[in-house]
Amino acid sequence: DRLMFPILDLQSRVVGFGGRTLGDDPAKYINSPETPIYHKSNFLYGLSQTKQAVKASGHLILVEGYMDVVGLHQAGIKPVAAVLGTALTIPQIKLAERFSQKVFLCFDADDAGRKAARRAADVVPILKWNSVSFASRMRRTPMNLLKSLVQPPLIWPWKTRCPYYDF
């Protein structure tokens, strides 16, 4: 049993799917294969739905997973999208830059998330992005961090920001 997430292009056309297990399957995620129209390194999950919120707020929060995007949207934090996998790619950076020059990285606090944040720091154009990894520093996933908050969520991203190199 899997929960399926449609992956949309910027015109809201379905180009692929991501599936997350609902049980104990060792393959936690199964995604669409690469096709002529779908290369996961070229897309950000949820950006087609949130691009107006990104433009209005002036920033984009990048998280690792589908559930982070859904949960943060439910909590009222709208300018959120997810990388498709744990590696932030140059095409994803260029895509994000089309909508905002202020991008916050909020990867999970596990080893994979911290490693992804360090790799992202190597490819982020420092002068264009104001990037952060507050979940990694606080040893929590974005969703666990959100659940622990007692302050309004709209303040949350700026309370624990750090320079891109301070993971």
Side-chain angles (χ1 to χ4, degrees):
D1 293 336
R2 293 197 181 273
L3 180 58
M4 300 302 294
F5 297 89
I7 300 166
L8 308 177
D9 65 12
L10 290 177
Q11 291 76 40
S12 298
R13 298 175 297 207
V14 176
V15 294
F17 289 92
R20 188 187 194 290
T21 186
L22 296 175
D24 295 328
D25 190 328
K28 189 174 176 182
Y29 291 97
I30 295 180
N31 301 309
S32 289
E34 301 275 314
T35 69
I37 62 167
Y38 174 68
H39 300 278
K40 73 178 185 175
S41 64
N42 294 338
F43 293 91
L44 292 169
Y45 176 76
L47 186 59
S48 67
Q49 295 94 332
T50 196
K51 60 188 175 187
Q52 296 305 322
V54 172
K55 286 182 178 181
S57 69
H59 69 274
L60 171 63
I61 301 169
L62 284 180
V63 295
E64 279 186 53
Y66 312 114
M67 295 302 292
D68 295 321
V69 171
V70 171
L72 292 171
H73 273 80
Q74 286 177 333
I77 300 172
K78 303 294 184 192
V80 179
V83 297
L84 297 166
T86 58
L88 179 64
T89 66
I90 297 292
Q92 289 171 328
I93 289 170
K94 289 179 179 179
L95 180 60
E97 285 178 339
R98 288 176 53 188
F99 298 93
S100 180
Q101 296 297 306
K102 189 179 288 186
V103 179
F104 297 95
L105 303 179
C106 186
F107 294 153
D108 290 353
D110 59 11
D111 288 338
R114 286 192 302 272
K115 185 176 179 182
R118 284 190 292 273
R119 279 193 318 259
D122 292 335
V123 297
V124 168
I126 299 164
L127 296 175
K128 292 186 178 179
W129 279 20
N130 177 6
S131 60
V132 66
S133 182
F134 48 90
S136 296
R137 291 183 74 200
M138 298 181 77
R139 305 267 187 242
R140 297 181 183 166
T141 66
M143 285 311 302
N144 288 339
L145 184 58
L146 180 64
K147 289 175 188 175
S148 71
L149 291 175
V150 293
Q151 57 200 169
L154 294 176
I155 302 171
W156 172 50
W158 295 272
K159 285 295 186 184
T160 54
R161 70 179 173 183
C162 63
Y164 80 98
Y165 50 81
D166 186 19
F167 298 122

